Amino acid sequence: MKNSNYLVDTPETAEIKRYALDVLRADLVGIASIGRFINAPQRMSPQGIMPSARSVIVMAVHHPDAAMERGGLEHPQIIGPYAIQYSMNWRLDDMSYRMGRFLEEMGFKSVPIASSNIWRYRGYKELTAQFAPDVSHMHCAVAAGLAEFGFNGLALTPEFGAHQRYVTIITDAELTPSPLLEPGSVCDNCMICRKECRSGALSKEINGWNEVRIEDKVYRYANKNLWRCAWGEHFDLDLDLPIPEHVDEKVIMEATVKYGRRAGEMGSCQRYCIPRHLRYFDREYTNAPRRRRHYVENPALKDAPFHRGVFEKIRAMAADWGADHVLSASAETVKNKLGIDIAQLLPGAVSIVSMIACRNPFEADLTNPRAHENRFDNAVSPILIQAGYDAVRLLENHGYSSGQMFEFPEEKLQQMLSVPGKQLHTVTLLTEAPLPETAWQLPAPCEVSKAPAALTRRLRNEMKRHECDLMGIAPAERVDALLPELAQIYDGEIELVAVNKADTIYKPYDPEISEVKRKVTGTADYLPGAKSVIMLGLRMPEGSVDITARTPAEAAGPYVFAQYETIMRLRVLAWNLIGKLEQCGFRAAMALDLHNTGSVCWNPRGNYPDAFSNVFAAAAAGLGTISECGALVTPEFGSNIRFAAVITDAPLEYNDLLRNFDLQCAACPRSCLKSCKTAAFGAKHEVTLEGVKWEFRKIDVNRCNWAKRYSLVASEGNQYTGWDLDEAFPEQKDLQGLKENLAESLRKVPQIEKIRPCNFEQCLLSCPYSRKQE
């Protein structure tokens, strides 16, 4: 591509690219003007989602070469190191959400889009596209000049071919567009993808071409049967089974019931797709093409020591994510100490790098049905994997094959490094780079000030560095002072909890329903001897809330994405905060609903805490006040915010309660209450703390769960994805009758769509503290 095709970036464009590349560590970033989407179907177009949009930002992260070349060697459904794919989705979600926030800080509106897993399987109204996301990241990547379409329908870049994933952010900022690639400039129609496709999706049931017109260019790709493509890639059916000559939804559903799942597929169309100018073969190393990398090797430096700046950058990136230590060792040392030949896992590997978290052990209260939400594993694995992922890509950029998830026996390393009273978590990558070696003994933490003022300042700086929106601190006594009144309101309430007993997720829902008696919890239930509670708040992007189900695309996905991504990011923040506390000799634990007064929303990532979780603890920390519907309203972000609590035995400096913040609920037509299709809002209650009184309506947990936990009310979000199940809440007083009705209704949940539910909280969307009401 000639440099003359590039326009001069505006300062805002340059700042956005800097943030994408330097802070979020994207491998590629491109920008499309909104005019490039004029031919896109309105219901899956950026302008359909956000009518005021002017630009679309697309970021890409690269599949490590070793993951593509050594994954799927034996079979596409034995993916090995390609498992990094799932962590790449996590990473792209994080990048999309954070870029959306960054744009808001710059004064623009934005709608971040989820990386994957939010689809309209059969289209929607006049939209006939199947497996249709809110917007197609691949189409956006082509429109943003990052890629062109290959025959296989993947968006191919000159740098990586098909070996990357994308994420999209829509914004009203007018940014400098990137130049488009020429059609046919990357894909050379080698047809290796067609030959290697096990499902036959690129050779059978092809119905001509899909053509995409962007400005004066026309891109095209094979119009394949997406149900056939989804046989192994989406529904995990065994690719070695005989696949019928025609595949449709009925065939897929019958096969999932008859055969069950084998495993996720490493798509051969992607694995074998490298552009001609980068493609070469090394049959002894892999049966897939290898990629020539964009670096210049200097033979004169062959025997020079490894660049220490690169080594220190690896360690700094790991610390930035939240790893406590980084260990590196040569293949010889690993062989001597652990008895492992790493070259058997990755040919040519001469070093390992282990990202290590060394923390106090924490056992969740298994009597609490929501205890799993607070386990460290929900945070530490993604954090360490992302630290390793950044190191792998950095080493690749310097010419060294590297990768992780090679079945390295982490337990052996953890035993060798064991620290009394500590629990170790490790993620190890293998590399061809001859790295400097570190010691094998983990250092003791250095002495830092434990004075409340100095420690509080350090913690606040840490959270500011990690882009936390709100942080409030309350003494544990203040948080626990709420327990008597909350117990009178919530204790003893019976919640019906349904579990799907079907042995695979794609089979029809087979409900098992239990009764759980609610019990209000306090700080001692998480950490005996607690002295302080630190409340962390992250906002929902304003644009995502504003557009939900009210713009031409009628999209629910951006709101649902913001629901779960705030929680995922809060876990990262809490993990880093707990690390700083433990370095000072204190203990800490995380809680996503400290008092156990909220519930959950069902979304494509599972059950995540709802907007009513942690509201009382956040109010006690001075972050806001409680509205009539029971949500926390903050002066800064209204009710578009989610919270995590960190309970610690460290004495800190505390926030005052928020006083003189008068809500206007009394002057409101109570649209929040009226919007609830299950009449979940009950009698008014009040709670008083240090002279501050909060009045709110208690939510009937089973009525509320009927809509947003079990997806039985269409208008709670799923109707906008083409899911038309709409079950009225049974007006029965008998608990057994309610259980039977719940089980009967859950059996009607659509077999496919139930895997990716999109529930929002209609009551909050109807509140003027969430968005302007029309």
Side-chain angles (χ1 to χ4, degrees):
M1 188 185 303
K2 296 180 181 179
N3 290 339
S4 59
N5 290 335
Y6 280 88
L7 300 174
V8 176
D9 280 347
T10 64
E12 294 80 8
T13 305
E15 182 64 10
I16 287 166
K17 290 180 178 178
R18 179 204 65 80
Y19 185 74
L21 297 167
D22 294 347
V23 179
L24 301 181
R25 302 192 185 107
D27 289 312
L28 297 170
V29 59
I31 294 171
S33 59
I34 201 64
R36 292 179 178 178
F37 297 92
I38 191 171
N39 297 313
Q42 187 178 50
R43 292 197 187 276
M44 58 183 301
S45 68
Q47 65 271 28
I49 290 175
M50 184 183 187
S52 63
R54 294 180 178 179
S55 303
V56 172
I57 303 164
V58 183
M59 296 181 286
V61 291
H62 166 48
H63 287 84
D65 292 330
M68 303 302 294
E69 295 163 356
R70 301 294 294 175
L73 271 172
E74 182 180 344
H75 190 277
Q77 289 174 295
I78 304 175
I79 65 175
Y82 180 73
I84 190 64
Q85 159 89 358
Y86 304 111
S87 294
M88 289 170 66
N89 281 345
W90 187 100
R91 179 60 166 272
L92 288 164
D93 281 345
D94 186 77
M95 293 166 64
S96 180
Y97 170 71
R98 293 172 67 188
M99 178 60 80
R101 290 164 39 88
F102 184 73
L103 287 161
E104 285 190 346
E105 295 292 340
M106 294 178 70
F108 303 115
K109 286 190 175 182
S110 71
V111 179
I113 305 297
S115 64
S116 189
N117 301 132
I118 293 177
W119 293 301
R120 288 164 166 163
Y121 282 89
R122 301 180 195 85
Y124 179 70
K125 295 184 177 179
E126 76 279 3
L127 178 67
T128 59
Q130 297 171 328
F131 296 88
D134 288 331
V135 295
S136 165
H137 297 307
M138 288 191 290
H139 284 74
C140 289
V142 174
L146 294 183
E148 71 131 335
F149 282 113
F151 168 81
N152 51 26
L154 300 178
L156 316 184
T157 67
E159 294 79 13
F160 306 112
H163 296 182
Q164 69 272 301
R165 289 184 63 84
Y166 307 98
V167 77
T168 302
I169 302 92
I170 306 166
T171 179
D172 64 358
E174 190 162 1
L175 304 174
T176 307
S178 306
L180 295 169
L181 291 182
E182 288 297 325
S185 62
V186 182
C187 179
D188 65 333
N189 291 305
C190 68
M191 293 300 168
I192 301 175
C193 60
R194 179 172 179 162
K195 174 187 173 184
E196 297 293 342
C197 176
R198 295 282 187 107
S199 71
L202 294 175
S203 58
K204 298 180 178 181
E205 300 190 84
I206 298 291
N207 185 20
W209 297 92
N210 288 308
E211 291 193 344
V212 179
R213 181 175 295 276
I214 304 175
E215 293 183 350
D216 62 342
K217 305 184 190 306
V218 178
Y219 304 87
R220 69 176 194 168
Y221 56 92
N223 184 14
K224 57 190 175 184
N225 177 358
L226 293 178
W227 290 104
R228 176 177 287 276
C229 179
W231 180 274
E233 194 275 336
H234 185 79
F235 293 103
D236 301 347
L237 287 164
D238 194 337
L239 289 166
D240 293 334
L241 290 169
I243 302 177
E245 287 303 306
H246 175 64
V247 180
D248 57 18
E249 180 180 355
K250 183 175 182 292
V251 168
I252 290 280
M253 291 298 92
E254 289 174 350
T256 59
V257 173
K258 183 176 181 180
Y259 300 111
R261 301 170 70 191
R262 175 173 179 174
E265 177 192 358
M266 182 178 181
S268 295
C269 58
Q270 181 186 42
R271 182 171 186 256
Y272 289 87
C273 188
I274 292 289
R276 179 168 50 191
H277 61 273
L278 300 179
R279 184 169 64 229
Y280 74 101
F281 291 91
D282 180 354
R283 302 295 185 185
E284 293 185 1
Y285 183 84
T286 181
N287 55 9
R290 300 194 71 181
R291 180 182 74 98
R292 293 186 176 92
R293 302 192 188 104
H294 287 74
Y295 77 99
V296 178
E297 185 175 1
N298 187 340
L301 295 176
K302 182 178 179 181
D303 298 321
F306 187 79
H307 194 303
R308 289 179 296 170
V310 175
F311 178 62
E312 296 301 348
K313 187 170 184 178
I314 290 171
R315 303 211 285 184
M317 288 190 305
D320 187 54
W321 271 106
D324 298 316
H325 309 289
V326 177
L327 175 146
S328 61
S330 67
E332 181 181 3
T333 300
V334 175
K335 180 75 171 177
N336 292 338
K337 287 186 175 291
L338 301 179
I340 302 166
D341 183 0
I342 61 174
Q344 294 294 316
L345 302 174
L346 177 64
V350 299
S351 304
I352 68 166
V353 180
S354 287
M355 310 299 177
I356 303 168
C358 180
R359 300 294 175 87
N360 293 328
F362 173 73
E363 292 297 330
D365 176 10
L366 298 181
T367 64
N368 182 342
R370 297 180 61 190
H372 67 279
E373 296 174 2
N374 307 317
R375 291 191 65 85
F376 284 160
D377 289 349
N378 288 324
V380 64
S381 293
I383 287 170
L384 296 184
I385 289 170
Q386 294 306 324
Y389 178 58
D390 279 343
V392 164
R393 291 184 296 148
L394 177 65
L395 290 166
E396 274 194 352
N397 289 340
H398 287 269
Y400 301 103
S401 285
S402 309
Q404 57 203 112
M405 300 185 178
F406 280 103
E407 298 184 3
F408 185 87
E410 302 287 354
E411 66 281 355
K412 285 189 177 183
L413 181 65
Q414 293 167 11
Q415 290 168 6
M416 179 71 70
L417 298 171
S418 62
V419 177
K422 295 286 186 178
Q423 184 176 4
L424 293 188
H425 305 264
T426 59
V427 166
T428 300
L429 64 94
L430 317 180
T431 179
E432 292 178 337
L435 299 173
E437 294 200 67
T438 62
W440 278 65
Q441 183 175 1
L442 300 184
C446 63
E447 287 294 325
V448 296
S449 174
K450 298 181 181 179
L455 180 56
T456 302
R457 185 166 56 251
R458 185 184 184 205
L459 298 179
R460 290 191 181 279
N461 287 338
E462 178 72 7
M463 289 300 94
K464 183 178 180 180
R465 188 172 69 84
H466 282 276
E467 303 172 356
C468 183
D469 286 318
L470 296 178
M471 177 174 167
I473 310 175
E477 293 88 346
R478 185 196 294 168
V479 173
D480 288 338
L482 291 166
L483 293 179
E485 290 181 90
L486 294 178
Q488 289 183 13
I489 300 169
Y490 293 97
D491 270 5
E493 181 179 23
I494 301 297
E495 180 177 9
L496 298 183
V497 177
V499 176
N500 185 6
K501 296 189 301 178
D503 57 6
T504 71
I505 60 174
Y506 296 109
K507 288 185 177 180
Y509 202 118
D510 182 14
E512 180 179 66
I513 300 175
S514 59
E515 300 178 18
V516 177
K517 184 179 291 188
R518 191 194 291 270
K519 185 181 184 304
V520 171
T521 52
T523 60
D525 293 290
Y526 299 89
L527 187 72
K531 294 182 180 178
S532 305
V533 175
I534 307 168
M535 297 304 301
L536 308 175
L538 283 179
R539 70 183 186 269
M540 308 264 287
E542 181 181 348
S544 299
V545 178
D546 283 347
I547 62 92
T548 299
R550 61 164 46 159
T551 56
E554 297 186 51
Y559 184 94
V560 173
F561 168 49
Q563 276 181 325
Y564 66 71
E565 186 55 33
T566 50
I567 301 300
M568 294 174 82
R569 186 69 190 164
L570 280 166
R571 285 178 172 141
V572 174
L573 268 59
W575 169 263
N576 280 274
L577 195 68
I578 289 168
K580 293 294 181 278
L581 288 161
E582 290 189 1
Q583 288 171 16
C584 297
F586 297 109
R587 293 180 62 83
M590 178 176 65
L592 293 179
D593 188 14
L594 192 155
H595 288 111
N596 192 32
T597 55
S599 186
V600 297
C601 275
W602 192 16
N603 63 55
R605 298 289 188 235
N607 281 320
Y608 273 62
D610 64 10
F612 305 101
S613 298
N614 261 335
V615 296
F616 295 105
L623 295 181
T625 191
I626 299 173
S627 68
E628 183 167 346
C629 74
L632 191 86
V633 179
T634 67
E636 299 88 350
F637 307 110
S639 53
N640 294 329
I641 192 157
R642 301 292 186 268
F643 298 99
V646 172
I647 303 103
T648 178
D649 58 3
L652 300 169
E653 290 189 331
Y654 304 120
N655 292 63
D656 294 328
L657 290 176
L658 184 64
R659 303 173 189 272
N660 302 319
F661 181 24
D662 295 326
L663 292 179
Q664 300 301 308
C665 290
C668 176
R670 292 175 173 69
S671 51
C672 58
L673 311 185
K674 295 175 183 177
S675 70
C676 180
K677 293 296 191 295
T678 61
F681 292 99
K684 264 193 176 183
H685 293 268
E686 65 178 50
V687 171
T688 303
L689 182 64
E690 297 180 3
V692 177
K693 182 170 68 175
W694 301 306
E695 293 184 332
F696 61 95
R697 292 181 184 270
K698 181 186 174 298
I699 296 173
D700 182 310
V701 68
N702 291 316
R703 288 178 177 270
C704 188
N705 284 351
W706 187 271
K708 64 179 174 44
R709 181 169 187 166
Y710 298 124
S711 298
L712 298 175
V713 176
S715 62
E716 200 70 19
N718 281 306
Q719 74 179 46
Y720 301 103
T721 67
W723 180 344
D724 58 4
L725 180 66
D726 197 23
E727 294 283 290
F729 185 84
E731 297 298 333
Q732 295 176 319
K733 296 182 180 179
D734 177 68
L735 189 63
Q736 182 60 33
L738 180 57
K739 288 174 67 173
E740 293 171 358
N741 272 277
L742 177 58
E744 180 183 353
S745 295
L746 286 172
R747 292 188 186 100
K748 300 177 185 177
V749 171
Q751 188 173 342
I752 295 180
E753 288 94 327
K754 72 176 186 299
I755 304 149
R756 315 289 184 204
C758 285
N759 298 299
F760 47 63
E761 293 137 324
Q762 185 64 57
C763 54
L764 290 186
L765 287 173
S766 302
C767 173
Y769 286 108
S770 288
R771 64 182 184 180
K772 186 177 180 180
Q773 298 302 302
E774 297 179 339

